[in-house]
Amino acid sequence: MRKSLLFSALFLSAIGLFSIGLSAQGTGVKTGTMTITNASSGAEMYNAYCAVCHGKDGKGLGYFESDAARLRLTPRHYAYVKVAEGCDYKCAFCIIPKLRGPYRSRTAESIVEEARTLAARGVKELLLISQDTTFYGIDRGERGALARLLRQLNEVDGIEWIRLHYLYPTTIDDQMLAAMAESDKVCKYIDLPLQHASNPVLKRMKRPGTRQKYDQLLTRIRERVPGVSLRTTFIVGFPGETDQDVAELSQFITDHAFDHVGVFTYSHEEG
């Protein structure tokens, strides 16, 4: 029974619904707020999950304020570090804001402390993640917070590489680019999900960017961070997309010579 409970928790974590932060205690599994025993029902497990997600203050912070003691499933040399939870955007194809709520940044102190703990355990590479990593700190009224965080993490002994994931095109600023260019441990790597390059499609997707702004941004990134590697993803087949839209996207990809491109077919879901 205990194995099945742990498997269920790990399965939930794999689909992004449960932060991996479980530890065995006695005959049960302990979450951040309560213990699930061998006799716990499915309803009790669900309630435990909700309690962890809602956190002590009811704002959903409790289950990621400190992930240092979590069970890591990655190889020993690298670890994912969540810098924030939730998302404030309302993209037409995405349900994340409904599942995870508004954007909420962790404090820089908690992230740096987690990095030190991970480094002491042999971790060499930190992969910073959130739904929109470049929005970090803006929800707290802290402009330039991501740049400051990168410089702080760059000073953590034992860490050799710091890699950013899921950077939103409208929140990349010059301070972050400068921190990336000047910090020797921060990988010159931009993971930037643009989703499309045709303005009519971007508008239907409810994405805030435009083709023209994307052109300017990509040029600026390459100017500010010499040797940067650019990775992006696109969605094709979005409702209303025309052959002309696809041709514009194809030309956009050719023009900017991305280092890696992922293309996904739009899949309609109910709701």
Side-chain angles (χ1 to χ4, degrees):
M1 179 64 180
R2 181 179 176 184
K3 289 183 178 179
S4 66
L5 287 171
L6 183 57
F7 176 80
S8 298
L10 293 177
F11 175 75
L12 286 172
S13 74
I15 60 173
L17 295 178
F18 200 22
S19 178
I20 304 175
L22 305 182
S23 60
Q25 180 178 12
T27 59
V29 175
K30 184 180 180 182
T31 70
T33 56
M34 64 188 301
T35 298
I36 305 172
T37 67
N38 290 352
S40 296
S41 66
E44 289 170 326
M45 291 182 67
Y46 175 77
N47 290 335
Y49 157 71
C50 291
V52 174
C53 288
H54 291 161
K56 296 178 181 178
D57 59 5
K59 296 181 180 180
L61 291 170
Y63 77 108
F64 76 97
E65 283 173 344
S66 177
D67 278 345
R70 71 190 185 278
L71 172 64
R72 287 194 294 116
L73 302 182
T74 55
R76 185 172 183 269
H77 65 282
Y78 73 86
Y80 290 95
V81 176
K82 184 178 286 188
V83 301
E85 180 61 286
C87 184
D88 286 351
Y89 292 101
K90 307 296 182 185
C91 300
F93 52 80
C94 184
I95 197 175
I96 286 176
K98 291 183 179 180
L99 290 177
R100 302 190 178 186
Y103 195 93
R104 305 170 313 276
S105 298
R106 289 175 61 184
T107 64
E109 291 78 11
S110 71
I111 297 170
V112 173
E113 182 60 31
E114 181 177 348
R116 292 189 180 120
T117 299
L118 292 169
R121 295 176 180 171
V123 170
K124 300 299 181 183
E125 179 177 3
L126 301 180
L127 296 93
L128 306 187
I129 59 171
S130 72
Q131 276 69 52
D132 174 7
T133 302
T134 41
F135 197 78
Y136 174 76
I138 295 176
D139 61 304
R140 302 164 67 97
E142 301 171 357
R143 293 282 177 177
L146 181 58
R148 292 191 294 273
L149 176 63
L150 290 178
R151 295 184 189 278
Q152 288 179 275
L153 292 173
N154 197 64
E155 299 300 319
V156 175
D157 292 336
I159 297 300
E160 297 181 11
W161 284 1
I162 301 164
R163 191 183 303 272
L164 295 167
H165 287 268
Y166 317 131
L167 311 185
Y168 209 82
T170 54
T171 48
I172 293 179
D173 60 27
D174 288 343
Q175 290 173 288
M176 189 280 290
L177 294 176
M180 177 176 285
E182 297 166 8
S183 302
D184 62 308
K185 296 180 182 179
V186 179
C187 296
K188 311 306 184 273
Y189 169 85
I190 299 283
D191 174 26
L192 188 68
L194 295 174
Q195 310 304 4
H196 215 283
S198 166
N199 287 341
V201 177
L202 289 169
K203 185 176 181 179
R204 285 194 296 275
M205 288 180 167
K206 298 184 179 179
R207 300 283 288 181
T210 64
R211 162 68 187 270
Q212 294 71 29
K213 289 181 179 178
Y214 289 174
D215 287 335
Q216 295 168 7
L217 172 63
L218 293 167
T219 299
R220 182 161 56 95
I221 289 173
R222 286 202 161 103
E223 288 175 349
R224 300 298 176 94
V225 188
V228 68
S229 294
L230 291 173
R231 177 188 185 277
T232 190
T233 53
F234 298 106
I235 297 173
V236 294
F238 194 80
E241 182 186 66
T242 65
D243 290 343
Q244 182 177 346
D245 294 325
V246 174
E248 183 172 358
L249 173 59
S250 179
Q251 187 60 52
F252 176 78
I253 294 172
T254 300
D255 290 346
H256 288 287
F258 295 96
D259 296 280
H260 181 87
V261 174
V263 181
F264 302 89
T265 303
Y266 174 79
S267 177
H268 182 72
E269 299 290 341
E270 295 183 5

